Amino acid sequence: MSWSLEPIGILHSCYKEKFAVPRQPGLAPSAYATLELLPPYNQPLCVEGLEQFSHLWLTFVFHQNLEQGWKARVRPPRLGGNKKIGVFASRSTFRPNGLGLSVVKLEGVDCSKGVKLQLSGIDLVDGTPIVDIKPYLPWADSLPQATAGWAPETPALLSVHFSPLAEKQLTTHKDGQQLKQLLIEVLSQNPRPAYQQTDPERIYGVLLADLDVRFRYPADNRLEVTELLPGRS
Amino acid sequence: MSWSLEPIGILHSCYKEKFAVPRQPGLAPSAYATLELLPPYNQPLCVEGLEQFSHLWLTFVFHQNLEQGWKARVRPPRLGGNKKIGVFASRSTFRPNGLGLSVVKLEGVDCSKGVKLQLSGIDLVDGTPIVDIKPYLPWADSLPQATAGWAPETPALLSVHFSPLAEKQLTTHKDGQQLKQLLIEVLSQNPRPAYQQTDPERIYGVLLADLDVRFRYPADNRLEVTELLPGRS
């Protein structure tokens, strides 16, 4: 018994690489993407009425991880990267069938040329293949009383600072203020792997929106954006 | 670009046929099922820590509908069965890739022989192939403020009554009281197709748990269970 899945759309995301993508949707509300539907799904009829919903479920494929397969137990970053948990008790990106699930905010529906959905609050890397879209139904999907054992609340945040150089580079960027907000939301999630020791000298880099963002950890729980270089667009 | 999906488990459900399955999970809290994991996933390591979560997401395949394919627009029962909406603005069971999504309550984890998960609040028919299990994370998944256009709240309920014969049959059944509660929850969802006219004489039947349940609609918004016959077990 097996079935074939094909993409119904491709996500064009501000996250140009996996590093620094938040571990769940909604943690960086300013993160944006365009979901471009593919033929034969890119007809306005397929999304008729969709604009009445504020949020959508996307089911997608962890396409960058499929070749690495799955293991029975994983090490979630939330547990410090050294404690193991069953793969089905986690949202690990390495899992049987390689399916992901993400709730995103629907900002707009553009049917002027094919179908494009404007989204925010996403946690998906650029190029992610989408295999289904469903409306979010609060009376069925919202369970605020649910208990979530080892991951009971949002991850702790780092405080994010900007060097004088980075501040200056933001002021000259055409979308500087929105980018600053995005950088704060994304980098406060602590993108560094949990198992790495703090090295205050080490400079990290991540491709985000049209930037190559450089940052370091001058102290525990503190992150400094040092410089903004041109990324790929 | 396409991928192959295979089941990680099979659901053994109190819903023995599609007719009368609620249109979303959680609407019939007494509905129960056992999810039996399949090799190589039926090892305790795969579900280690899962018992810490009260609710799970199941991603599954609408296996009974796949051959009928999909259409760009569907007629949701909630809209009376005569108004159309885009397939991606609906949770129709006829959709590209045939994937379903359901949040269920985890009642227990049994690793005494393979892995079996005891579930409740389900909306899935017996034999449904499951392709993923993920923990429900209230801080990421619960959005009570989300707006849901044409389906803003739970469906209206019918009042459910029992004939003297059905009442008597329940008192002699070993699980009579639990079954009565399940029948009330399921049948109050109004399983009759929305496009059918009310015929007070017509007797409907549905296989539920170990019963073949017979019922009729003596008046609008009123359902009467007339008789309980042996179903298949």
Side-chain angles (χ1 to χ4, degrees), chain A residues 3 5-6 48 52 54 73 86 91 95 97 99 131-134 136 139 141-143 147 149-151, chain B residues 3 5-6 48 52 54 73 86 91 95 97 99 131-134 136 139 141-143 147 149-151:
Chain A
W3 305 275
L5 270 187
E6 61 171 43
E48 193 176 309
Q52 295 178 32
S54 63
R73 299 203 299 169
R91 300 238 199 155
R95 58 194 311 114
N97 289 316
L99 289 174
V131 294
D132 203 7
I133 303 168
K134 297 180 199 285
Y136 186 95
W139 47 270
D141 301 336
S142 181
L143 303 171
T147 54
W150 58 266
Chain B
W3 306 274
L5 271 187
E6 61 172 44
E48 194 176 310
Q52 295 178 33
S54 64
R73 298 202 301 169
R91 299 236 200 158
R95 58 195 309 115
N97 289 316
L99 288 175
V131 295
D132 204 6
I133 302 167
K134 296 179 198 286
Y136 186 94
W139 48 269
D141 300 336
S142 180
L143 303 171
T147 54
W150 58 267

Side-chain angles (χ1 to χ4, degrees), chain A residues 126-198:
Chain A
D126 196 41
T128 295
I130 308 297
V131 294
D132 203 7
I133 303 168
K134 297 180 199 285
Y136 186 95
L137 302 177
W139 47 270
D141 301 336
S142 181
L143 303 171
Q145 81 287 8
T147 54
W150 58 266
E153 51 196 29
T154 49
L157 298 180
L158 297 183
S159 70
V160 175
H161 304 265
F162 293 83
S163 73
L165 174 60
E167 287 281 11
K168 189 174 168 203
Q169 289 168 324
L170 281 172
T171 60
T172 59
H173 191 287
K174 67 179 168 53
D175 301 315
Q177 283 314 298
Q178 292 95 309
L179 271 174
K180 186 173 183 180
Q181 180 62 27
L182 178 64
L183 291 177
I184 292 171
E185 291 172 4
V186 169
L187 298 176
S188 64
Q189 304 290 330
N190 196 3
R192 186 182 45 182
Y195 53 81
Q196 281 186 1
Q197 296 298 312
T198 301

Side-chain angles (χ1 to χ4, degrees), chain A residues 15-23 64 125 186-187 190-193 196 202 204-208 213 215 217:
Chain A
Y15 297 115
K16 302 302 179 190
E17 57 179 319
K18 280 194 296 179
F19 181 59
V21 175
R23 286 160 194 145
Q64 295 191 4
V125 72
V186 169
L187 298 176
N190 196 3
R192 186 182 45 182
Q196 281 186 1
R202 178 167 170 182
Y204 295 80
V206 63
L207 295 173
L208 195 66
V213 182
F215 58 97
Y217 295 85

Side-chain angles (χ1 to χ4, degrees), chain B residues 138-208:
Chain B
W139 48 269
D141 300 336
S142 180
L143 303 171
Q145 80 287 8
T147 54
W150 58 267
E153 49 197 31
T154 50
L157 298 182
L158 297 183
S159 71
V160 175
H161 304 266
F162 294 82
S163 73
L165 174 60
E167 287 281 10
K168 190 177 168 201
Q169 289 168 325
L170 281 171
T171 60
T172 59
H173 191 287
K174 68 178 168 53
D175 301 317
Q177 283 313 298
Q178 292 95 310
L179 270 174
K180 186 174 183 179
Q181 180 60 27
L182 177 64
L183 291 176
I184 292 171
E185 291 171 5
V186 170
L187 297 176
S188 65
Q189 304 291 329
N190 196 4
R192 188 183 41 185
Y195 53 81
Q196 281 187 359
Q197 295 299 313
T198 300
D199 172 0
E201 300 303 315
R202 177 166 172 183
I203 300 286
Y204 295 81
V206 62
L207 296 172
L208 196 65

Side-chain angles (χ1 to χ4, degrees), chain B residues 42-87:
Chain B
N42 64 342
Q43 38 177 318
L45 290 180
C46 286
V47 293
E48 194 176 310
L50 194 67
E51 73 290 344
Q52 295 178 33
F53 294 86
S54 64
H55 291 76
L56 308 178
W57 287 112
L58 300 182
T59 303
F60 58 94
V61 173
F62 288 115
H63 63 301
Q64 295 191 4
N65 296 2
L66 287 180
E67 286 186 5
Q68 292 174 67
W70 68 281
K71 288 195 179 127
R73 298 202 301 169
V74 299
R75 300 175 194 265
R78 285 289 286 282
L79 292 174
N82 50 25
K83 194 163 172 249
K84 288 186 177 178
I85 204 99
V87 64

